Amino acid sequence: MFLLRRSTQTQSHPEDLNLEKDAKVSELRAALGPLSGRCLKYCNDACLRRYLEARNWNVDKAKKMLEETLKWRATYKPEEIRWHEIAHEGETGKAFRSNFHDMLGRTVLIMRPGMQNTNSPEDNVRHIVYLLENSVLNLPEGQEQMSWLIDFTGFSLSTNISIKAARDIINILQSHYPERLAMALLYNPPKIFQAFYKAVKYFLDPKTAQKVSFVYPNSKSSDNFMKTLFDLENLPCEFGGKATLKYDHEEFSRMMAEDDVKTAKLWGFDERPYPIMNGHSGAAVTQEPMPISPPASRVNISSTSI
């Protein structure tokens, strides 16, 4: 199977390239064979394009990768994770979807590893997977990617997530959410983070690693870089902007509860409201939990671009 990029090096017309890519999408869909249910809903044309892009438009490799994702989703069931199951992970606001977008309209996930509050690698991973699914749910029409802002205020090796959790998150991102990450901005990481990043970077695909940028306060180049990516009026001051960053766990829980209802409708689940209060069970509106299959106990590390 030849690669699209090699076969189009001499092509100069964008419309020709688009036609070849459309043909690759059709070829991949035919190779996958008949799909139904959640697999059919998941495998829209945009999805197939992301997997093809991650595999350099090699249909055979994209097919293998996508089939592995379908197996993972059938086992892990990320679309069935509900906020009330992992709300305890978010109590400190260590990771949440922001209420602003970057300059290109992409959803922004804010992460604050210095506010790590639990020590369960499995729950850490489920929390991030939930936020990934939620971020995808809230992507503007026509947008396929999200941005990450990571604030290292209060970071220490004792508060950071484990290497295992970081490794598993990277594996899931690269293997099952290809081409979803536009950029990951690490803001003011301390020197002690370098050892941790060196260990984690081993699991990053080179293309993914290129999406990671280190940004520092009181740096003209960093300031100019952030201005090209965000409206400073909306960007929190923790990242060099002018806005105030405030995380209200109860309010965020109510928002996630509403999104859980949207998720249920998207995937065709028939669920009744589940009560929420202070991020846990109580007296607000969201949805009743579904029977959730336990996640796979092991994840294999693979090198794939996000």
Side-chain angles (χ1 to χ4, degrees), residues 206-219:
K207 185 178 179 182
T208 300
Q210 291 178 358
K211 299 179 181 181
V212 178
S213 297
F214 288 72
V215 186
Y216 297 92
N218 304 317
S219 166

Side-chain angles (χ1 to χ4, degrees), residues 244-269:
T244 300
L245 178 62
K246 180 183 178 182
Y247 176 76
D248 185 322
H249 185 59
E250 182 174 354
E251 179 60 31
F252 188 74
S253 294
R254 293 181 189 277
M255 185 167 65
M256 293 301 97
E258 294 173 358
D259 280 356
D260 282 351
V261 174
K262 296 177 185 177
T263 298
K265 291 180 179 179
L266 174 67
W267 292 100
F269 302 151

Side-chain angles (χ1 to χ4, degrees), residues 83-238:
W83 176 250
H84 71 271
E85 300 167 3
I86 43 86
H88 62 284
E89 288 285 333
E91 288 179 349
T92 60
K94 66 184 178 185
F96 60 96
R97 177 170 58 81
S98 74
N99 61 356
F100 63 92
H101 297 83
D102 66 15
M103 285 291 199
L104 296 181
R106 295 179 293 221
T107 297
V108 176
L109 273 183
I110 291 179
M111 300 183 183
R112 301 185 287 182
M115 295 188 173
Q116 177 64 24
N117 61 325
T118 63
N119 55 16
S120 167
E122 292 76 15
D123 284 352
N124 286 169
V125 173
R126 280 173 64 80
H127 181 222
I128 294 299
V129 169
Y130 175 88
L131 291 175
L132 287 173
E133 291 284 313
N134 181 264
S135 295
V136 171
L137 177 72
N138 286 280
L139 284 173
E141 185 176 356
Q143 184 55 259
E144 292 290 314
Q145 294 186 309
M146 66 188 75
S147 298
W148 288 11
L149 284 175
I150 306 173
D151 173 23
F152 282 87
T153 300
F155 174 87
S156 70
L157 293 180
S158 62
T159 60
N160 195 38
I161 65 172
S162 67
I163 292 290
K164 179 185 185 304
R167 180 193 64 195
D168 289 352
I169 289 170
I170 289 171
N171 176 66
I172 288 173
L173 275 169
Q174 296 189 149
S175 299
H176 307 307
Y177 295 88
E179 299 303 316
R180 282 299 193 188
L181 181 65
M183 59 183 176
L185 305 183
L186 282 56
Y187 198 83
N188 200 26
K191 291 183 178 180
I192 58 173
F193 174 75
Q194 295 178 3
F196 179 82
Y197 184 70
K198 184 179 292 186
V200 168
K201 191 176 180 181
Y202 173 79
F203 303 109
L204 288 177
D205 173 86
K207 185 178 179 182
T208 300
Q210 291 178 358
K211 299 179 181 181
V212 178
S213 297
F214 288 72
V215 186
Y216 297 92
N218 304 317
S219 166
K220 187 175 181 179
S221 60
S222 290
D223 290 344
N224 291 335
F225 180 56
M226 294 299 281
K227 287 178 182 178
T228 66
L229 301 173
F230 298 94
D231 180 349
L232 296 187
E233 296 296 328
N234 296 326
L235 185 68
C237 58
E238 286 81 355

